[in-house]
Amino acid sequence: MFPRKISIIDDWYAQGYTTNDIVEKLRCKDLVSHSTIREKFEWYLNRIRKREENGDIKIVKFIIEHYQNEKIFYDVGHPTNFVIKEICRQILEKLTMNFALENNIFECMDGYEDLILTCVKEALHLAYGGEDAIKNGLHVCKMNQIMDLEEHVREYLFWQYKEEGADV
């Protein structure tokens, strides 16, 4: 459910913050400076550019063209189906195979989807993220059908600290 620790939530929980306190802090538009977010985003794009230098499939331009309106990654390093479809299209093009890819040919891979914080949404001018629902897939074990920011924090604390009587 949560394969990686979320250190900022862990730190706040250890300091005695309640679930509601943590949710409010995560909603803060200035949690991380916009310049820092943009620098990290550019750093990540440069990592992808470097990988592309010796490959036939080029995805950075596609990411830059679409990241503001389409979710590109479920978490760092795991592209969404939208990106996977473009990679497949490019592979088929290289193989000179011409046929249309169905929109629903890939199972949704959002099981470990990370939050997109409000500060990130604003810094990168995203049309998604912040309070939006995540982890909608039916194959993911979760308490509620749709997981928003509050539910994400509540479940993270439950799964991380359930033996310790987490405030959930």
Side-chain angles (χ1 to χ4, degrees):
M1 182 69 162
F2 296 97
R4 290 170 304 284
K5 300 287 260 172
I6 306 173
S7 59
I8 194 166
I9 294 176
D10 293 331
D11 292 346
W12 288 333
Y13 183 74
Q15 293 171 32
Y17 287 97
T18 67
T19 301
N20 291 337
D21 295 335
I22 292 169
V23 168
E24 287 309 309
K25 289 177 94 43
L26 290 172
R27 284 184 174 136
C28 179
K29 295 176 182 183
D30 299 319
L31 182 62
V32 179
S33 77
H34 290 196
S35 62
T36 298
I37 293 166
R38 287 189 294 271
E39 287 170 15
K40 295 282 186 186
F41 181 67
E42 191 57 42
W43 175 85
Y44 192 70
L45 289 176
N46 286 333
R47 277 186 57 198
I48 298 170
R49 281 183 187 103
K50 184 134 181 80
R51 274 190 243 152
E52 286 183 350
E53 287 176 1
N54 297 317
D56 292 332
I57 306 305
K58 310 295 184 189
I59 202 69
V60 169
K61 182 180 176 198
F62 180 83
I63 290 170
I64 291 169
E65 289 172 356
H66 296 283
Y67 80 91
Q68 290 179 315
N69 295 311
E70 296 285 341
K71 191 176 287 186
I72 301 295
F73 292 97
Y74 290 121
D75 61 32
V76 174
H78 289 95
T80 63
N81 294 26
F82 182 72
V83 176
I84 296 292
K85 184 176 176 182
E86 173 60 16
I87 291 169
C88 290
R89 187 196 66 73
Q90 288 186 36
I91 290 170
L92 292 171
E93 186 176 271
K94 293 286 181 195
L95 296 172
T96 63
M97 299 176 75
N98 187 15
F99 64 89
L101 292 171
E102 301 280 331
N103 283 332
N104 59 354
I105 60 172
F106 306 112
E107 181 178 333
C108 186
M109 301 177 288
D110 68 348
Y112 298 124
E113 184 175 3
D114 285 338
L115 290 169
I116 297 173
L117 299 173
T118 302
C119 57
V120 173
K121 178 179 181 170
E122 291 202 358
L124 298 178
H125 308 288
L126 305 178
Y128 54 89
E131 297 292 315
D132 293 348
I134 62 168
K135 297 184 184 184
N136 294 316
L138 297 175
H139 62 284
V140 179
C141 296
K142 54 189 186 277
M143 293 181 220
N144 287 331
Q145 185 64 23
I146 294 175
M147 189 179 288
D148 60 8
L149 174 63
E150 185 175 345
E151 185 66 20
H152 190 275
V153 171
R154 190 171 310 290
E155 289 205 29
Y156 177 79
L157 291 173
F158 174 80
W159 292 109
Q160 294 298 324
Y161 302 102
K162 60 185 172 189
E163 289 88 24
E164 300 174 23
D167 167 37
V168 293

mmCIF file of all heavy atoms in Angstrom, residues 44-66:
data_model
loop_
_atom_site.group_PDB
_atom_site.id
_atom_site.type_symbol
_atom_site.label_atom_id
_atom_site.label_comp_id
_atom_site.label_asym_id
_atom_site.label_seq_id
_atom_site.Cartn_x
_atom_site.Cartn_y
_atom_site.Cartn_z
ATOM 1 N N TYR A 44 15.057 16.447 -12.766
ATOM 2 C CA TYR A 44 14.514 15.145 -13.148
ATOM 3 C C TYR A 44 14.415 15.018 -14.668
ATOM 4 O O TYR A 44 14.757 13.974 -15.241
ATOM 5 C CB TYR A 44 13.158 14.914 -12.481
ATOM 6 C CG TYR A 44 12.683 13.499 -12.587
ATOM 7 C CD1 TYR A 44 13.306 12.482 -11.876
ATOM 8 C CD2 TYR A 44 11.627 13.165 -13.428
ATOM 9 C CE1 TYR A 44 12.887 11.169 -11.983
ATOM 10 C CE2 TYR A 44 11.194 11.851 -13.540
ATOM 11 C CZ TYR A 44 11.832 10.861 -12.818
ATOM 12 O OH TYR A 44 11.418 9.559 -12.933
ATOM 13 N N LEU A 45 13.966 16.079 -15.335
ATOM 14 C CA LEU A 45 13.922 16.055 -16.797
ATOM 15 C C LEU A 45 15.322 15.854 -17.376
ATOM 16 O O LEU A 45 15.488 15.117 -18.364
ATOM 17 C CB LEU A 45 13.313 17.349 -17.347
ATOM 18 C CG LEU A 45 11.819 17.550 -17.128
ATOM 19 C CD1 LEU A 45 11.395 18.921 -17.656
ATOM 20 C CD2 LEU A 45 11.002 16.444 -17.774
ATOM 21 N N ASN A 46 16.319 16.471 -16.795
ATOM 22 C CA ASN A 46 17.696 16.295 -17.266
ATOM 23 C C ASN A 46 18.173 14.858 -17.090
ATOM 24 O O ASN A 46 18.928 14.346 -17.920
ATOM 25 C CB ASN A 46 18.637 17.276 -16.579
ATOM 26 C CG ASN A 46 18.472 18.682 -17.111
ATOM 27 O OD1 ASN A 46 18.073 18.888 -18.268
ATOM 28 N ND2 ASN A 46 18.743 19.667 -16.282
ATOM 29 N N ARG A 47 17.747 14.209 -16.010
ATOM 30 C CA ARG A 47 18.077 12.783 -15.829
ATOM 31 C C ARG A 47 17.487 11.948 -16.965
ATOM 32 O O ARG A 47 18.147 11.047 -17.488
ATOM 33 C CB ARG A 47 17.516 12.268 -14.496
ATOM 34 C CG ARG A 47 18.377 12.569 -13.312
ATOM 35 C CD ARG A 47 17.855 11.909 -12.052
ATOM 36 N NE ARG A 47 17.728 10.473 -12.198
ATOM 37 C CZ ARG A 47 16.984 9.714 -11.400
ATOM 38 N NH1 ARG A 47 16.299 10.248 -10.416
ATOM 39 N NH2 ARG A 47 16.919 8.415 -11.578
ATOM 40 N N ILE A 48 16.252 12.253 -17.329
ATOM 41 C CA ILE A 48 15.608 11.515 -18.427
ATOM 42 C C ILE A 48 16.304 11.828 -19.747
ATOM 43 O O ILE A 48 16.555 10.930 -20.560
ATOM 44 C CB ILE A 48 14.102 11.834 -18.491
ATOM 45 C CG1 ILE A 48 13.409 11.394 -17.194
ATOM 46 C CG2 ILE A 48 13.455 11.149 -19.698
ATOM 47 C CD1 ILE A 48 11.981 11.868 -17.063
ATOM 48 N N ARG A 49 16.649 13.101 -19.966
ATOM 49 C CA ARG A 49 17.383 13.477 -21.202
ATOM 50 C C ARG A 49 18.677 12.685 -21.316
ATOM 51 O O ARG A 49 19.037 12.211 -22.399
ATOM 52 C CB ARG A 49 17.702 14.973 -21.184
ATOM 53 C CG ARG A 49 16.563 15.868 -21.544
ATOM 54 C CD ARG A 49 17.010 17.344 -21.580
ATOM 55 N NE ARG A 49 15.869 18.204 -21.759
ATOM 56 C CZ ARG A 49 15.289 18.923 -20.799
ATOM 57 N NH1 ARG A 49 15.761 18.901 -19.563
ATOM 58 N NH2 ARG A 49 14.233 19.666 -21.056
ATOM 59 N N LYS A 50 19.392 12.541 -20.213
ATOM 60 C CA LYS A 50 20.659 11.819 -20.218
ATOM 61 C C LYS A 50 20.432 10.350 -20.607
ATOM 62 O O LYS A 50 21.200 9.791 -21.388
ATOM 63 C CB LYS A 50 21.329 11.909 -18.849
ATOM 64 C CG LYS A 50 22.689 11.275 -18.785
ATOM 65 C CD LYS A 50 23.650 12.179 -18.079
ATOM 66 C CE LYS A 50 25.028 11.600 -17.998
ATOM 67 N NZ LYS A 50 25.795 11.753 -19.203
ATOM 68 N N ARG A 51 19.373 9.747 -20.081
ATOM 69 C CA ARG A 51 19.053 8.362 -20.436
ATOM 70 C C ARG A 51 18.717 8.226 -21.916
ATOM 71 O O ARG A 51 18.992 7.208 -22.537
ATOM 72 C CB ARG A 51 17.877 7.852 -19.607
ATOM 73 C CG ARG A 51 18.303 7.298 -18.294
ATOM 74 C CD ARG A 51 17.148 6.585 -17.640
ATOM 75 N NE ARG A 51 16.855 7.292 -16.409
ATOM 76 C CZ ARG A 51 15.689 7.351 -15.843
ATOM 77 N NH1 ARG A 51 14.653 6.763 -16.378
ATOM 78 N NH2 ARG A 51 15.520 8.006 -14.726
ATOM 79 N N GLU A 52 18.084 9.260 -22.465
ATOM 80 C CA GLU A 52 17.663 9.212 -23.869
ATOM 81 C C GLU A 52 18.832 9.327 -24.846
ATOM 82 O O GLU A 52 18.685 8.959 -26.006
ATOM 83 C CB GLU A 52 16.702 10.368 -24.167
ATOM 84 C CG GLU A 52 15.337 10.202 -23.599
ATOM 85 C CD GLU A 52 14.415 11.346 -23.981
ATOM 86 O OE1 GLU A 52 14.880 12.370 -24.526
ATOM 87 O OE2 GLU A 52 13.222 11.214 -23.730
ATOM 88 N N GLU A 53 19.976 9.819 -24.397
ATOM 89 C CA GLU A 53 21.103 10.069 -25.302
ATOM 90 C C GLU A 53 21.470 8.850 -26.124
ATOM 91 O O GLU A 53 21.825 8.965 -27.284
ATOM 92 C CB GLU A 53 22.323 10.552 -24.508
ATOM 93 C CG GLU A 53 22.193 11.962 -23.993
ATOM 94 C CD GLU A 53 23.373 12.393 -23.119
ATOM 95 O OE1 GLU A 53 24.315 11.585 -22.920
ATOM 96 O OE2 GLU A 53 23.330 13.531 -22.629
ATOM 97 N N ASN A 54 21.401 7.671 -25.532
ATOM 98 C CA ASN A 54 21.816 6.459 -26.233
ATOM 99 C C ASN A 54 20.642 5.557 -26.611
ATOM 100 O O ASN A 54 20.840 4.376 -26.885
ATOM 101 C CB ASN A 54 22.815 5.670 -25.375
ATOM 102 C CG ASN A 54 24.081 6.456 -25.146
ATOM 103 O OD1 ASN A 54 24.608 7.080 -26.065
ATOM 104 N ND2 ASN A 54 24.564 6.468 -23.919
ATOM 105 N N GLY A 55 19.449 6.107 -26.621
ATOM 106 C CA GLY A 55 18.281 5.289 -26.934
ATOM 107 C C GLY A 55 17.499 5.826 -28.121
ATOM 108 O O GLY A 55 17.680 6.960 -28.553
ATOM 109 N N ASP A 56 16.637 4.998 -28.629
ATOM 110 C CA ASP A 56 15.794 5.367 -29.772
ATOM 111 C C ASP A 56 14.490 6.029 -29.358
ATOM 112 O O ASP A 56 13.885 6.747 -30.140
ATOM 113 C CB ASP A 56 15.464 4.122 -30.611
ATOM 114 C CG ASP A 56 16.680 3.571 -31.314
ATOM 115 O OD1 ASP A 56 17.602 4.354 -31.617
ATOM 116 O OD2 ASP A 56 16.711 2.347 -31.562
ATOM 117 N N ILE A 57 14.036 5.753 -28.152
ATOM 118 C CA ILE A 57 12.758 6.279 -27.682
ATOM 119 C C ILE A 57 13.019 7.575 -26.920
ATOM 120 O O ILE A 57 13.788 7.597 -25.962
ATOM 121 C CB ILE A 57 12.026 5.253 -26.787
ATOM 122 C CG1 ILE A 57 11.886 3.913 -27.500
ATOM 123 C CG2 ILE A 57 10.679 5.800 -26.320
ATOM 124 C CD1 ILE A 57 11.201 3.967 -28.855
ATOM 125 N N LYS A 58 12.388 8.638 -27.370
ATOM 126 C CA LYS A 58 12.567 9.965 -26.774
ATOM 127 C C LYS A 58 11.251 10.389 -26.138
ATOM 128 O O LYS A 58 10.229 10.484 -26.828
ATOM 129 C CB LYS A 58 12.982 10.994 -27.836
ATOM 130 C CG LYS A 58 14.154 10.572 -28.704
ATOM 131 C CD LYS A 58 15.432 10.435 -27.915
ATOM 132 C CE LYS A 58 16.591 10.098 -28.852
ATOM 133 N NZ LYS A 58 17.798 9.750 -28.160
ATOM 134 N N ILE A 59 11.275 10.645 -24.842
ATOM 135 C CA ILE A 59 10.032 10.917 -24.137
ATOM 136 C C ILE A 59 10.008 12.291 -23.455
ATOM 137 O O ILE A 59 8.938 12.781 -23.091
ATOM 138 C CB ILE A 59 9.731 9.769 -23.137
ATOM 139 C CG1 ILE A 59 8.243 9.704 -22.780
ATOM 140 C CG2 ILE A 59 10.601 9.851 -21.912
ATOM 141 C CD1 ILE A 59 7.377 9.257 -23.891
ATOM 142 N N VAL A 60 11.152 12.941 -23.293
ATOM 143 C CA VAL A 60 11.190 14.230 -22.584
ATOM 144 C C VAL A 60 10.318 15.274 -23.274
ATOM 145 O O VAL A 60 9.555 15.979 -22.613
ATOM 146 C CB VAL A 60 12.630 14.753 -22.412
ATOM 147 C CG1 VAL A 60 12.639 16.195 -21.924
ATOM 148 C CG2 VAL A 60 13.380 13.893 -21.429
ATOM 149 N N LYS A 61 10.414 15.372 -24.577
ATOM 150 C CA LYS A 61 9.608 16.361 -25.300
ATOM 151 C C LYS A 61 8.121 16.105 -25.059
ATOM 152 O O LYS A 61 7.345 17.038 -24.825
ATOM 153 C CB LYS A 61 9.924 16.319 -26.791
ATOM 154 C CG LYS A 61 9.160 17.338 -27.598
ATOM 155 C CD LYS A 61 9.506 17.265 -29.080
ATOM 156 C CE LYS A 61 8.632 18.247 -29.845
ATOM 157 N NZ LYS A 61 8.593 17.963 -31.256
ATOM 158 N N PHE A 62 7.723 14.853 -25.090
ATOM 159 C CA PHE A 62 6.336 14.477 -24.829
ATOM 160 C C PHE A 62 5.923 14.891 -23.411
ATOM 161 O O PHE A 62 4.837 15.442 -23.204
ATOM 162 C CB PHE A 62 6.165 12.962 -25.023
ATOM 163 C CG PHE A 62 4.777 12.457 -24.787
ATOM 164 C CD1 PHE A 62 3.825 12.532 -25.788
ATOM 165 C CD2 PHE A 62 4.427 11.894 -23.567
ATOM 166 C CE1 PHE A 62 2.539 12.058 -25.579
ATOM 167 C CE2 PHE A 62 3.145 11.426 -23.352
ATOM 168 C CZ PHE A 62 2.201 11.505 -24.358
ATOM 169 N N ILE A 63 6.789 14.631 -22.445
ATOM 170 C CA ILE A 63 6.503 15.010 -21.056
ATOM 171 C C ILE A 63 6.311 16.518 -20.948
ATOM 172 O O ILE A 63 5.341 16.990 -20.352
ATOM 173 C CB ILE A 63 7.631 14.525 -20.117
ATOM 174 C CG1 ILE A 63 7.602 12.996 -20.000
ATOM 175 C CG2 ILE A 63 7.511 15.180 -18.731
ATOM 176 C CD1 ILE A 63 8.802 12.400 -19.300
ATOM 177 N N ILE A 64 7.225 17.266 -21.528
ATOM 178 C CA ILE A 64 7.156 18.733 -21.455
ATOM 179 C C ILE A 64 5.877 19.252 -22.101
ATOM 180 O O ILE A 64 5.255 20.181 -21.600
ATOM 181 C CB ILE A 64 8.416 19.363 -22.078
ATOM 182 C CG1 ILE A 64 9.629 19.071 -21.189
ATOM 183 C CG2 ILE A 64 8.240 20.863 -22.277
ATOM 184 C CD1 ILE A 64 10.964 19.397 -21.813
ATOM 185 N N GLU A 65 5.473 18.640 -23.202
ATOM 186 C CA GLU A 65 4.265 19.080 -23.903
ATOM 187 C C GLU A 65 2.985 18.772 -23.127
ATOM 188 O O GLU A 65 1.975 19.439 -23.305
ATOM 189 C CB GLU A 65 4.183 18.423 -25.285
ATOM 190 C CG GLU A 65 5.208 18.948 -26.256
ATOM 191 C CD GLU A 65 5.242 18.157 -27.561
ATOM 192 O OE1 GLU A 65 4.498 17.139 -27.686
ATOM 193 O OE2 GLU A 65 6.017 18.541 -28.448
ATOM 194 N N HIS A 66 3.012 17.763 -22.257
ATOM 195 C CA HIS A 66 1.766 17.271 -21.660
ATOM 196 C C HIS A 66 1.685 17.329 -20.142
ATOM 197 O O HIS A 66 0.589 17.141 -19.593
ATOM 198 C CB HIS A 66 1.513 15.825 -22.107
ATOM 199 C CG HIS A 66 1.291 15.690 -23.571
ATOM 200 N ND1 HIS A 66 0.097 16.019 -24.182
ATOM 201 C CD2 HIS A 66 2.120 15.278 -24.564
ATOM 202 C CE1 HIS A 66 0.202 15.802 -25.477
ATOM 203 N NE2 HIS A 66 1.414 15.355 -25.737
#
